[in-house]
Amino acid sequence: MRAIWKGAVSFGLVSIGVKLYSATEEKDIRFHQVHREDGGRIRYKRTCQVCGQEVTYDDIAKGYDLGGGEMVILTDEDFADLPLTTSHAIDVLEFVPAEQVDPILYNKAYFLEPEGAATKPYVLLRDALADSERVAIVKVALRQREQLATLRVREGVLLLNTMLWPDEVRTPDFGFLDEDLKVRPPELAMASSLIDSMAGEFQPDAFTDDYRAALQEVIDAKVEGREVVQPEEEEAAPAAAVDLMAALKASVERARAARGEEPSGGAGEPTPISAARSAQKAAKKAAKAPAKKAPAKKTAKKAEPAKKTAAKKTAEKKAAKAPAKKAAEKKAAPRKTA
């Protein structure tokens, strides 16, 4: 790695010399624009919109558009008078709990390496920061711009995370936020069940950039002059849900099946969305499975003894009523006179 900045961490009255390194890198495959016929690179000329002349870098200045065709031109001398161009300090402002920093504010990450004799104070700050379970809020000037940042420990190294300023984060303004939408408790319970069935431990190495891998395969095939093997088509995503509960049930069953778990025994079969092909297949397999017929047999067996018991009770009642009926008829019969 190559250091992109040198400066010092100002920690109270202690100054720690450090070097700054980019902690991340993009793995995107980059292309050049070329002429389709001969592969020649496409070049762009820097021309002035007013006079049409080609301009060199030495003749280029920065302009701030005021609107209405007015432009304020700033030269290198104007920027030289600003204090940030020569400031190489990371000023620690305060220490705060990490959970109080909204992740949306994080921008770019940098590693800090101690420089020269600054190793001991560097390790001291690192260990004290780790023991405090807090992050340091700092200010730093990078690329002629003052930035807010955090300082924390990662794998034994101080990590600087530049941050956006609060006014750089947009406020969401969407119509549905003003609507009075209510979620039914059964829907919320089913959504929670879906989350539980898909819960796991985050392992970054388990995820890969499939598009980049396929694109690299195309490039390698072109270089080697072989045929490109088409990757398997992924299953199409289901359309928008018509029956939310049915979609949630089908999703839960699908997630459990993916983990090799047995389908949950519910009050009824999950009804997938007509457009969700994968959910339909899961429902068909569940309907054909013999495990689904078992409850019906048990119910039938339970129903037969119940019917016999009811018939027996009815016969006993009739038998008990018969003598009483005969006695009543005997009393009601007219007596014979001598």
Side-chain angles (χ1 to χ4, degrees):
M1 290 190 293
R2 183 176 62 87
I4 63 172
W5 183 90
K6 290 183 180 181
V9 177
S10 178
F11 175 44
L13 298 178
V14 179
S15 182
I16 307 170
V18 293
K19 296 179 181 178
L20 200 70
Y21 300 84
S22 291
T24 60
E25 58 180 341
E26 294 184 0
K27 293 290 187 177
D28 289 342
I29 297 176
R30 302 182 182 277
F31 296 97
H32 296 295
Q33 290 185 330
V34 298
H35 189 193
R36 187 188 300 273
E37 294 183 2
D38 54 19
R41 290 280 301 275
I42 304 299
R43 301 292 185 184
Y44 293 93
K45 294 182 178 181
R46 296 173 296 276
T47 58
C48 176
Q49 187 178 0
V50 177
C51 63
Q53 294 182 359
E54 186 174 353
V55 181
T56 63
Y57 279 112
D58 294 336
D59 294 329
I60 295 178
K62 290 181 172 63
Y64 181 80
D65 192 353
L66 296 176
E70 293 185 295
M71 190 78 66
V72 174
I73 299 177
L74 300 177
T75 63
D76 293 338
E77 289 75 16
D78 296 320
F79 288 101
D81 294 334
L82 298 177
L84 294 181
T85 55
T86 56
S87 175
H88 285 268
I90 300 175
D91 296 321
V92 177
L93 305 178
E94 60 182 356
F95 297 91
V96 302
E99 60 270 15
Q100 291 184 1
V101 182
D102 192 334
I104 196 175
L105 294 172
Y106 287 127
N107 191 8
K108 189 167 175 54
Y110 300 92
F111 288 131
L112 294 183
E113 179 193 22
E115 184 178 21
T119 303
K120 186 173 182 178
Y122 177 98
V123 172
L124 175 63
L125 174 59
R126 180 198 66 186
D127 293 347
L129 193 57
D131 291 342
S132 69
E133 297 183 351
R134 293 173 178 261
V135 297
I137 302 297
V138 304
K139 271 188 177 182
V140 59
L142 293 175
R143 298 184 176 91
Q144 296 184 344
R145 183 189 178 192
E146 185 179 50
Q147 299 191 52
L148 194 65
T150 61
L151 205 60
R152 61 187 178 91
V153 181
R154 185 180 188 276
E155 297 182 356
V157 178
L158 289 177
L159 183 73
L160 181 79
N161 269 110
T162 57
M163 302 166 62
L164 301 173
W165 294 99
D167 59 358
E168 293 178 316
V169 179
R170 295 176 176 175
T171 301
D173 184 15
F174 304 109
F176 78 92
L177 295 174
D178 298 327
E179 298 178 9
D180 186 16
L181 298 176
K182 294 183 179 179
V183 177
R184 296 187 295 119
E187 293 172 340
L188 184 59
M190 187 59 66
S192 299
S193 178
L194 176 58
I195 292 175
D196 292 339
S197 65
M198 298 177 67
E201 298 294 330
F202 179 57
Q203 298 178 351
D205 294 338
F207 304 94
T208 57
D209 188 347
D210 296 334
Y211 175 81
R212 177 161 58 92
L215 181 57
Q216 188 63 55
E217 171 63 20
V218 172
I219 295 173
D220 294 342
K222 286 270 189 179
V223 173
E224 299 172 6
R226 54 183 170 83
E227 184 179 354
V228 179
V229 179
Q230 295 294 336
E232 296 181 3
E233 292 186 3
E234 294 186 2
E235 188 175 351
V242 177
D243 187 339
L244 183 57
M245 280 297 293
L248 288 171
K249 288 179 181 179
S251 300
V252 171
E253 296 300 332
R254 183 179 182 181
R256 286 175 177 167
R259 289 182 173 227
E261 299 177 4
E262 292 294 331
S264 60
E269 290 291 333
T271 307
I273 313 170
S274 58
R277 298 177 182 175
S278 59
Q280 285 179 340
K281 293 178 182 178
K284 288 179 181 178
K285 289 181 181 178
K288 293 179 181 179
K292 296 294 181 180
K293 296 179 181 179
K297 290 181 180 179
K298 291 182 179 178
T299 305
K301 289 181 180 179
K302 289 182 180 178
E304 288 179 5
K307 289 181 180 179
K308 291 179 180 179
T309 304
K312 187 177 181 182
K313 288 183 178 179
T314 304
E316 290 176 354
K317 287 181 180 179
K318 287 181 178 180
K321 290 180 179 179
K325 186 177 181 181
K326 289 181 179 180
E329 290 176 353
K330 188 176 182 181
K331 287 182 180 181
R335 295 179 179 180
K336 294 182 180 180
T337 55

